Amino acid sequence: MSETTVKPTPIIQMQGIHKSFGAVQALGDVNLKLYPGEVLGLVGDNSAGKSTLMKILTGAYHRDTGSVLVDGKATHFRNPHESRDSGIEMIYQDFALCGNMDVGQNIFLGRWPRRGPFVDRKTMYSEADKVLKRLKVDVNSVFQRVESLSGGRQQSVAIARAISFDPRVVILDEPTANLSVMATERLLETMLELKKHGVAQIIISHRLQDIFAVGDRVMVLKRGENVGDRFIAHTTEQEVLQIIVSGTPENALTAEQAVAEAA
């Protein structure tokens, strides 16, 4: 008797998403699924609509038509606070940190624990340290000013702040774009650590090698439309690059032609 594998309900489903800005259509009938604990790479050229799709998911933009489901239930986030309440966090390229404040203050920015009318600094720094240790983030001290940290460590603080909300989904926008090789390796290790804790992730990136290092699946957008969806284990960087450039894997290009056209 054969065993039947029951596929889990997607934690996120976006169906038939349309979004226009005036006469410009940014997204047309886009679909996306994300499963619990999955790492999904979202790729495409600069006009593909990746960030627009994610801003719709987080409530920063409102879709024109289509539906968004969380745990199978239809929802319509009016703003990022509502998506956060559903366990969705997005980390932008600029990190949105306050450089003149220390690591602990940034992790709990705007929601510092209080004891009566005063900030409970002991609890704040203790909890910040726990979050950093959970992610195995290499930061010298929770008392260190963020502006003194390298780009890679600032990125880690931004991730730690997102994780302090105990999210189920984390979206990272070009997380390794401006990092050194060593900082990139540390960040990829942090992403794998998040995965061990069951946090689903969507990674917007032009760096296919990073997505192939940590991802389970890769989805390709081109001119605001779905053109490819592949399991990392069943594809190659070359095939994905061909889809990004041509919009279809059947329009075979050599790796050299694909690189030349993508440049």
Side-chain angles (χ1 to χ4, degrees), residues 5 11 24 47 71 94 104 106 115 134 139 158 168 176 184 188 205 209 211 214 231 251-252 254:
T5 301
I11 189 170
V24 178
S47 60
D71 293 325
D94 63 1
N106 269 277
R115 179 176 294 173
R134 172 186 170 191
V139 174
R168 296 182 298 154
T176 62
T184 295
L188 295 177
S205 182
Q209 64 267 40
I211 289 173
V214 299
F231 286 106
N251 293 346
T254 67

Side-chain angles (χ1 to χ4, degrees), residues 3 121 158 233 262:
E3 295 183 357
R121 298 175 66 84

Side-chain angles (χ1 to χ4, degrees), residues 12-180:
I12 299 292
Q13 284 181 279
M14 305 182 76
Q15 301 172 332
I17 302 296
H18 288 258
K19 178 64 178 177
S20 294
F21 298 96
V24 178
Q25 179 176 283
L27 299 170
D29 197 29
V30 174
N31 301 305
L32 177 146
K33 288 184 180 180
L34 179 70
Y35 291 92
E38 182 181 37
V39 178
L40 172 66
L42 184 59
V43 302
D45 56 31
N46 287 332
S47 60
K50 306 181 298 295
S51 293
T52 298
L53 185 65
M54 292 299 95
K55 287 178 179 178
I56 288 173
L57 176 57
T58 60
Y61 289 164
H62 294 170
R63 59 190 181 271
D64 296 333
T65 59
S67 60
V68 176
L69 291 81
V70 178
D71 293 325
K73 298 178 181 178
T75 187
H76 192 109
F77 298 131
R78 292 170 294 181
N79 55 59
H81 295 292
E82 293 187 356
S83 67
R84 173 173 286 166
D85 290 341
S86 291
I88 301 170
E89 283 285 335
M90 184 164 181
I91 301 169
Y92 294 94
Q93 280 183 273
D94 63 1
F95 308 154
L97 299 172
C98 293
N100 62 335
M101 293 183 177
D102 61 38
V103 170
Q105 290 170 323
N106 269 277
I107 290 176
F108 286 95
L109 188 63
R111 54 193 176 93
W112 295 326
R114 308 191 76 84
R115 179 176 294 173
F118 304 105
V119 174
D120 186 348
R121 298 175 66 84
K122 182 178 180 180
T123 296
M124 178 176 71
Y125 289 116
S126 174
E127 291 302 314
D129 188 59
K130 287 179 183 177
V131 173
L132 293 171
K133 286 179 178 177
R134 172 186 170 191
L135 293 176
K136 300 180 180 178
V137 170
D138 180 22
V139 174
N140 292 332
S141 169
V142 291
F143 302 104
Q144 188 172 357
R145 284 200 175 193
V146 163
E147 62 191 3
S148 69
L149 299 175
S150 67
R153 286 189 170 87
Q154 288 189 24
Q155 175 76 283
S156 295
V157 172
I159 293 174
R161 184 179 62 190
I163 292 306
S164 71
F165 285 94
D166 199 23
R168 296 182 298 154
V169 177
V170 172
I171 303 161
L172 300 104
D173 190 1
E174 296 291 351
T176 62
N178 300 307
L179 301 185
S180 67

